[in-house]
Amino acid sequence: MSQVEWDSEDELEEKPFQLAYMRRLFRYVLPYRRTLGIVIFIVLLNMGLSLAEPLMLGYLIDYGIVKNNMELITWIGASLLLFRFLGWLFGYLHTKLINFTGQRVLFDLRQQLFNHLQSLSFRFFDGRPAGKIMSRITNDTNAIGELVNGGLITTVMEVTHLVGIVAILFWMDWQLALLSFITMPMLYLIVSKLRPKIEGSWSKSRRTMSAINGNVNETIQGMRVVQAFSRQKANDNRFNEINTNNKAAFMRAIRMESMVWPLVELIGMIGTCIVVWFGAKRVIDGALSIGFVMAFINYLWRFWGPLSALSKVYSQLLSAMASAERLFEILDTEPEVKNAATAKELPPIRGEVEFRNVAFQYGPDKPEVLHGINLKVKPGQRIAIVGPTGAGKSTIVNLLMRFYDATGGQVLIDGHDVKEVTLESLRSQMGIVLQDSFIFSGTIEENLLYGNEDATEEKLMEAAKSVRIDQFVSKFPDGYATQVEERGSKLSVGQRQLLAFGRVLLSDPRILILDEATSSVDTETEQHIQEALARVLEGRTAFIIAHRLSTIRDADLIVVVRDGSIKEQGTHDELMKTSGLYANLVHSQLLMQQSFNDVLNEKSEQQVG
């Protein structure tokens, strides 16, 4: 599903009923069918007690109050109190058991989604905002949970209630029962016509609230940019517009509800008044008793509650259909990169890498990003990959890590095709450091151990010292137990990058990939990293993507990529002699550096003068 389709699908809060989705959802409930059976039994028992109350009240009036029978009044009163106590007890058990079941279903569904998401290929996440995916794991699973928690049991309870009430009303007096339902067609017309408008108004209100949350979240995350460009006034105007839309949508929904539901109650009261009028007339004629009419009216009042509850369940059901479609779309997405049926464990590698006529494209209708890539790397060699933005440099190492599968040719490690070995055995012997390495919330030590939880303290300290992590950790009171907060926000950019280096080095990879790994650090930090890498990379095969000359000039082989193919390869000295693409890149970088230095010198001279 494309980006546009995802955005449009997320706007839809309701979908028509789909039996296939319901069957699939029931699979998550089936493991807890015994508990649900107990809940349904308790609900039916509670309904029986509830339906007995009006009859008992009618009996109390006719045979207790009218006939001055205090003993009967006492017994019926005590029985009603007992019924209410049992109703409270059954309600407590019902609520506890159904919430337990609902939470277990939510737990299973969220766990399955989370596990499945981790198995999906990078292509799935390309163009799909993280916020939309998170919404499916949280909001959509909650919609399913609401249906399980409230909808299923409410349906059983209220349908039972309705059937029981209708049966009792016709059993008591079929003529009064028919009169009481004379307003039903009018009620149906009003609810069926206006209910969709009410729900549509609340849906719009929720969407505008979502827009507010998105705008506030974006503003908070980009606060530095907002203040740097003095965009506060423009942002105020934009937020005022979104906020106004939300207020208007909310007030429209309130107006609709305040008009419709009192109208529904009025129609219900008309039906009740008709019953009261005819019932009173028959009481006066001596055909019916006062207690009988009161019990009948009590049942009639109870009739409207289940109808309202079932209407809400119907809305929950349609909402759950939309959520189920979105969730199952994720669960039905097969990972493009996965272990083949005949995949074998990759044995310990030496680090020999070969690209044989490799081609790659992101989709059948997309142009080739790489074509005709042929490259052979010996174990322990340091390979630098350079070229302009969009040339395909990162794609080459992504194919090596098997984040994507080549659409043509072969990628081999020690002679093994990466498609024919298990992903875990492949990636466990490789490491990668990106330009913006992700640091997880937790301690410095936990982040270092992320790629090798079994590493000894001695190994951890050795890796930390190799990339100079120990120098800044010693300044924290809690040392390696320091909490780095979300995305490592407590650390500087350079410290986060050093931590990423320590993490990958502690995993002891045979092949190490550095994708613009030093571009975001200052010159001093880069010098620390270069000194550490000179020792750490010895004996390991390394692929280095970088623009800085200091990072790549000592590489054993420099590969120049442009327009998806290798244009030049050789050592720094060899490529400089050819005066080709690489030489032009180096000269351009030197000129830019010289111009920058000239500007700094000029400013220094002006300050001195």
Side-chain angles (χ1 to χ4, degrees), residues 432-470:
I432 186 169
V433 180
L434 305 172
Q435 179 180 1
D436 182 21
S437 289
F438 195 95
I439 302 300
F440 294 90
S441 57
T443 65
I444 293 175
E445 180 179 358
E446 288 169 345
N447 271 277
L448 282 171
L449 293 172
Y450 192 81
N452 185 5
E453 294 182 347
D454 298 325
T456 63
E457 184 177 355
E458 182 182 355
K459 289 288 185 182
L460 185 144
M461 295 301 174
E462 183 181 339
K465 187 176 181 180
S466 296
V467 291
R468 309 296 177 89
I469 291 176
D470 58 330

Short mmCIF file of all heavy atoms in Angstrom, two decimals, residues 432-470:
data_model
loop_
_atom_site.label_atom_id
_atom_site.label_comp_id
_atom_site.label_asym_id
_atom_site.label_seq_id
_atom_site.Cartn_x
_atom_site.Cartn_y
_atom_site.Cartn_z
N ILE A 432 27.39 -2.02 11.61
CA ILE A 432 27.21 -0.80 10.82
C ILE A 432 27.07 0.39 11.76
O ILE A 432 26.43 0.30 12.81
CB ILE A 432 25.99 -0.92 9.89
CG1 ILE A 432 25.88 0.30 8.96
CG2 ILE A 432 24.70 -1.11 10.68
CD1 ILE A 432 24.87 0.12 7.84
N VAL A 433 27.69 1.50 11.37
CA VAL A 433 27.56 2.77 12.08
C VAL A 433 27.09 3.80 11.06
O VAL A 433 27.73 3.99 10.01
CB VAL A 433 28.90 3.23 12.71
CG1 VAL A 433 28.70 4.56 13.44
CG2 VAL A 433 29.42 2.18 13.67
N LEU A 434 25.96 4.45 11.36
CA LEU A 434 25.37 5.41 10.43
C LEU A 434 25.72 6.84 10.82
O LEU A 434 26.26 7.09 11.90
CB LEU A 434 23.85 5.23 10.42
CG LEU A 434 23.34 3.82 10.09
CD1 LEU A 434 21.83 3.74 10.31
CD2 LEU A 434 23.68 3.45 8.67
N GLN A 435 25.36 7.76 9.95
CA GLN A 435 25.61 9.17 10.22
C GLN A 435 24.83 9.63 11.45
O GLN A 435 25.35 10.35 12.30
CB GLN A 435 25.19 10.01 9.00
CG GLN A 435 25.38 11.52 9.20
CD GLN A 435 24.95 12.29 7.97
OE1 GLN A 435 24.50 11.73 6.99
NE2 GLN A 435 25.11 13.60 8.02
N ASP A 436 23.59 9.19 11.54
CA ASP A 436 22.76 9.53 12.70
C ASP A 436 22.42 8.24 13.43
O ASP A 436 21.32 7.70 13.31
CB ASP A 436 21.49 10.25 12.24
CG ASP A 436 20.61 10.67 13.41
OD1 ASP A 436 21.14 10.78 14.52
OD2 ASP A 436 19.40 10.87 13.20
N SER A 437 23.38 7.73 14.17
CA SER A 437 23.19 6.45 14.86
C SER A 437 22.14 6.59 15.96
O SER A 437 22.16 7.55 16.73
CB SER A 437 24.50 5.97 15.47
OG SER A 437 25.37 5.56 14.43
N PHE A 438 21.26 5.63 16.00
CA PHE A 438 20.16 5.66 16.97
C PHE A 438 20.67 5.17 18.32
O PHE A 438 21.18 4.06 18.43
CB PHE A 438 19.01 4.79 16.48
CG PHE A 438 17.72 5.04 17.19
CD1 PHE A 438 16.78 5.90 16.67
CD2 PHE A 438 17.45 4.44 18.41
CE1 PHE A 438 15.58 6.15 17.33
CE2 PHE A 438 16.27 4.67 19.08
CZ PHE A 438 15.33 5.53 18.54
N ILE A 439 20.46 6.00 19.34
CA ILE A 439 20.79 5.62 20.71
C ILE A 439 19.49 5.39 21.46
O ILE A 439 18.59 6.24 21.45
CB ILE A 439 21.62 6.71 21.41
CG1 ILE A 439 22.91 7.00 20.61
CG2 ILE A 439 21.95 6.31 22.83
CD1 ILE A 439 23.82 5.80 20.45
N PHE A 440 19.38 4.25 22.11
CA PHE A 440 18.14 3.90 22.79
C PHE A 440 18.12 4.49 24.20
O PHE A 440 19.17 4.75 24.80
CB PHE A 440 18.00 2.37 22.89
CG PHE A 440 17.82 1.71 21.55
CD1 PHE A 440 18.93 1.27 20.83
CD2 PHE A 440 16.56 1.53 21.01
CE1 PHE A 440 18.78 0.66 19.60
CE2 PHE A 440 16.40 0.93 19.78
CZ PHE A 440 17.51 0.49 19.07
N SER A 441 16.91 4.70 24.71
CA SER A 441 16.79 5.14 26.10
C SER A 441 17.32 4.02 27.00
O SER A 441 17.22 2.84 26.68
CB SER A 441 15.33 5.44 26.44
OG SER A 441 14.52 4.31 26.20
N GLY A 442 17.90 4.40 28.11
CA GLY A 442 18.55 3.44 29.00
C GLY A 442 19.90 3.99 29.42
O GLY A 442 20.17 5.19 29.31
N THR A 443 20.77 3.13 29.89
CA THR A 443 22.08 3.58 30.36
C THR A 443 23.12 3.48 29.23
O THR A 443 22.88 2.84 28.21
CB THR A 443 22.56 2.73 31.55
OG1 THR A 443 22.77 1.38 31.09
CG2 THR A 443 21.53 2.73 32.66
N ILE A 444 24.25 4.10 29.46
CA ILE A 444 25.36 4.00 28.51
C ILE A 444 25.81 2.56 28.38
O ILE A 444 26.07 2.07 27.28
CB ILE A 444 26.53 4.90 28.98
CG1 ILE A 444 26.14 6.38 28.90
CG2 ILE A 444 27.79 4.63 28.15
CD1 ILE A 444 27.17 7.33 29.44
N GLU A 445 25.87 1.86 29.50
CA GLU A 445 26.29 0.46 29.47
C GLU A 445 25.31 -0.39 28.66
O GLU A 445 25.74 -1.23 27.86
CB GLU A 445 26.39 -0.08 30.90
CG GLU A 445 26.83 -1.54 30.96
CD GLU A 445 26.96 -2.05 32.38
OE1 GLU A 445 26.74 -1.26 33.32
OE2 GLU A 445 27.26 -3.24 32.56
N GLU A 446 24.01 -0.17 28.84
CA GLU A 446 23.02 -0.95 28.10
C GLU A 446 23.13 -0.71 26.60
O GLU A 446 22.96 -1.63 25.79
CB GLU A 446 21.61 -0.59 28.59
CG GLU A 446 21.30 -1.14 29.98
CD GLU A 446 20.03 -0.58 30.57
OE1 GLU A 446 19.52 0.45 30.04
OE2 GLU A 446 19.54 -1.14 31.56
N ASN A 447 23.44 0.51 26.21
CA ASN A 447 23.61 0.81 24.79
C ASN A 447 24.87 0.16 24.22
O ASN A 447 24.87 -0.31 23.08
CB ASN A 447 23.64 2.32 24.56
CG ASN A 447 22.26 2.91 24.33
OD1 ASN A 447 21.72 2.89 23.23
ND2 ASN A 447 21.67 3.43 25.41
N LEU A 448 25.92 0.13 25.01
CA LEU A 448 27.15 -0.52 24.56
C LEU A 448 26.94 -2.03 24.38
O LEU A 448 27.46 -2.64 23.44
CB LEU A 448 28.27 -0.27 25.57
CG LEU A 448 28.95 1.10 25.52
CD1 LEU A 448 29.88 1.28 26.72
CD2 LEU A 448 29.74 1.28 24.23
N LEU A 449 26.14 -2.62 25.26
CA LEU A 449 25.92 -4.06 25.23
C LEU A 449 24.82 -4.47 24.25
O LEU A 449 24.51 -5.66 24.16
CB LEU A 449 25.55 -4.57 26.63
CG LEU A 449 26.65 -4.49 27.70
CD1 LEU A 449 26.08 -4.84 29.06
CD2 LEU A 449 27.80 -5.43 27.34
N TYR A 450 24.25 -3.51 23.54
CA TYR A 450 23.08 -3.80 22.69
C TYR A 450 23.38 -4.88 21.65
O TYR A 450 22.54 -5.73 21.36
CB TYR A 450 22.63 -2.51 21.99
CG TYR A 450 21.28 -2.65 21.33
CD1 TYR A 450 20.11 -2.54 22.06
CD2 TYR A 450 21.16 -2.89 19.96
CE1 TYR A 450 18.86 -2.66 21.48
CE2 TYR A 450 19.92 -3.02 19.36
CZ TYR A 450 18.78 -2.90 20.12
OH TYR A 450 17.55 -3.03 19.52
N GLY A 451 24.59 -4.85 21.10
CA GLY A 451 24.93 -5.84 20.07
C GLY A 451 25.61 -7.08 20.61
O GLY A 451 25.87 -8.02 19.86
N ASN A 452 25.90 -7.09 21.91
CA ASN A 452 26.60 -8.25 22.50
C ASN A 452 26.32 -8.26 24.01
O ASN A 452 27.12 -7.80 24.82
CB ASN A 452 28.10 -8.17 22.23
CG ASN A 452 28.84 -9.40 22.72
OD1 ASN A 452 28.23 -10.37 23.17
ND2 ASN A 452 30.17 -9.38 22.63
N GLU A 453 25.17 -8.80 24.38
CA GLU A 453 24.75 -8.77 25.78
C GLU A 453 25.63 -9.64 26.67
O GLU A 453 25.64 -9.48 27.89
CB GLU A 453 23.29 -9.24 25.89
CG GLU A 453 22.30 -8.29 25.23
CD GLU A 453 20.87 -8.76 25.39
OE1 GLU A 453 20.68 -9.93 25.80
OE2 GLU A 453 19.95 -7.97 25.13
N ASP A 454 26.37 -10.57 26.07
CA ASP A 454 27.20 -11.49 26.86
C ASP A 454 28.63 -10.99 27.05
O ASP A 454 29.47 -11.70 27.62
CB ASP A 454 27.24 -12.87 26.17
CG ASP A 454 25.86 -13.50 26.07
OD1 ASP A 454 25.06 -13.30 26.99
OD2 ASP A 454 25.58 -14.18 25.07
N ALA A 455 28.91 -9.79 26.57
CA ALA A 455 30.26 -9.25 26.69
C ALA A 455 30.65 -9.06 28.15
O ALA A 455 29.82 -8.63 28.97
CB ALA A 455 30.37 -7.93 25.93
N THR A 456 31.88 -9.37 28.47
CA THR A 456 32.36 -9.20 29.85
C THR A 456 32.62 -7.72 30.12
O THR A 456 32.72 -6.90 29.21
CB THR A 456 33.66 -9.99 30.06
OG1 THR A 456 34.68 -9.46 29.18
CG2 THR A 456 33.45 -11.47 29.77
N GLU A 457 32.74 -7.40 31.39
CA GLU A 457 33.03 -6.01 31.76
C GLU A 457 34.39 -5.58 31.21
O GLU A 457 34.56 -4.42 30.81
CB GLU A 457 33.01 -5.87 33.29
CG GLU A 457 33.20 -4.43 33.76
CD GLU A 457 33.10 -4.30 35.27
OE1 GLU A 457 32.78 -5.30 35.94
OE2 GLU A 457 33.35 -3.19 35.77
N GLU A 458 35.32 -6.52 31.18
CA GLU A 458 36.65 -6.21 30.63
C GLU A 458 36.56 -5.83 29.16
O GLU A 458 37.17 -4.85 28.72
CB GLU A 458 37.57 -7.43 30.80
CG GLU A 458 39.00 -7.19 30.31
CD GLU A 458 39.86 -8.44 30.45
OE1 GLU A 458 39.38 -9.46 31.01
OE2 GLU A 458 41.02 -8.39 29.98
N LYS A 459 35.76 -6.60 28.38
CA LYS A 459 35.59 -6.29 26.96
C LYS A 459 34.88 -4.94 26.78
O LYS A 459 35.22 -4.17 25.88
CB LYS A 459 34.78 -7.39 26.29
CG LYS A 459 35.51 -8.72 26.12
CD LYS A 459 36.57 -8.60 25.05
CE LYS A 459 37.23 -9.95 24.79
NZ LYS A 459 38.32 -9.85 23.77
N LEU A 460 33.90 -4.69 27.64
CA LEU A 460 33.17 -3.42 27.54
C LEU A 460 34.10 -2.24 27.77
O LEU A 460 34.08 -1.26 27.02
CB LEU A 460 32.02 -3.42 28.56
CG LEU A 460 31.08 -2.22 28.52
CD1 LEU A 460 29.64 -2.63 28.84
CD2 LEU A 460 31.50 -1.14 29.53
N MET A 461 34.92 -2.33 28.81
CA MET A 461 35.84 -1.23 29.11
C MET A 461 36.88 -1.06 28.00
O MET A 461 37.28 0.05 27.67
CB MET A 461 36.53 -1.50 30.46
CG MET A 461 35.59 -1.50 31.64
SD MET A 461 34.72 0.07 31.80
CE MET A 461 33.58 -0.31 33.14
N GLU A 462 37.30 -2.18 27.42
CA GLU A 462 38.28 -2.13 26.34
C GLU A 462 37.70 -1.42 25.12
O GLU A 462 38.36 -0.56 24.50
CB GLU A 462 38.71 -3.55 25.97
CG GLU A 462 39.78 -3.61 24.88
CD GLU A 462 40.15 -5.04 24.52
OE1 GLU A 462 39.89 -5.95 25.35
OE2 GLU A 462 40.69 -5.24 23.42
N ALA A 463 36.45 -1.75 24.76
CA ALA A 463 35.81 -1.10 23.62
C ALA A 463 35.58 0.38 23.90
O ALA A 463 35.79 1.23 23.03
CB ALA A 463 34.48 -1.79 23.31
N ALA A 464 35.15 0.70 25.13
CA ALA A 464 34.91 2.10 25.49
C ALA A 464 36.20 2.92 25.42
O ALA A 464 36.20 4.06 24.95
CB ALA A 464 34.31 2.17 26.88
N LYS A 465 37.28 2.31 25.86
CA LYS A 465 38.57 3.01 25.83
C LYS A 465 39.06 3.18 24.41
O LYS A 465 39.69 4.20 24.06
CB LYS A 465 39.60 2.23 26.67
CG LYS A 465 40.93 2.96 26.85
CD LYS A 465 41.85 2.18 27.77
CE LYS A 465 43.16 2.92 27.97
NZ LYS A 465 44.09 2.18 28.86
N SER A 466 38.80 2.21 23.54
CA SER A 466 39.27 2.26 22.15
C SER A 466 38.72 3.46 21.41
O SER A 466 39.40 4.06 20.57
CB SER A 466 38.87 0.98 21.41
OG SER A 466 39.51 -0.14 21.97
N VAL A 467 37.46 3.85 21.72
CA VAL A 467 36.87 4.98 21.01
C VAL A 467 36.69 6.19 21.93
O VAL A 467 35.88 7.07 21.65
CB VAL A 467 35.51 4.58 20.38
CG1 VAL A 467 35.70 3.61 19.25
CG2 VAL A 467 34.57 4.00 21.41
N ARG A 468 37.44 6.21 23.00
CA ARG A 468 37.50 7.35 23.91
C ARG A 468 36.18 7.64 24.62
O ARG A 468 35.93 8.78 25.03
CB ARG A 468 37.96 8.61 23.15
CG ARG A 468 39.22 8.44 22.33
CD ARG A 468 40.42 8.13 23.22
NE ARG A 468 41.63 7.88 22.44
CZ ARG A 468 42.49 8.82 22.07
NH1 ARG A 468 42.26 10.08 22.41
NH2 ARG A 468 43.57 8.51 21.39
N ILE A 469 35.31 6.64 24.76
CA ILE A 469 34.07 6.84 25.51
C ILE A 469 34.38 7.08 26.98
O ILE A 469 33.70 7.86 27.66
CB ILE A 469 33.14 5.62 25.35
CG1 ILE A 469 32.61 5.56 23.92
CG2 ILE A 469 31.97 5.67 26.33
CD1 ILE A 469 31.77 4.33 23.64
N ASP A 470 35.43 6.42 27.48
CA ASP A 470 35.77 6.52 28.89
C ASP A 470 36.07 7.96 29.30
O ASP A 470 35.85 8.35 30.46
CB ASP A 470 36.97 5.63 29.22
CG ASP A 470 38.19 5.97 28.38
OD1 ASP A 470 38.03 6.43 27.23
OD2 ASP A 470 39.32 5.77 28.87
#
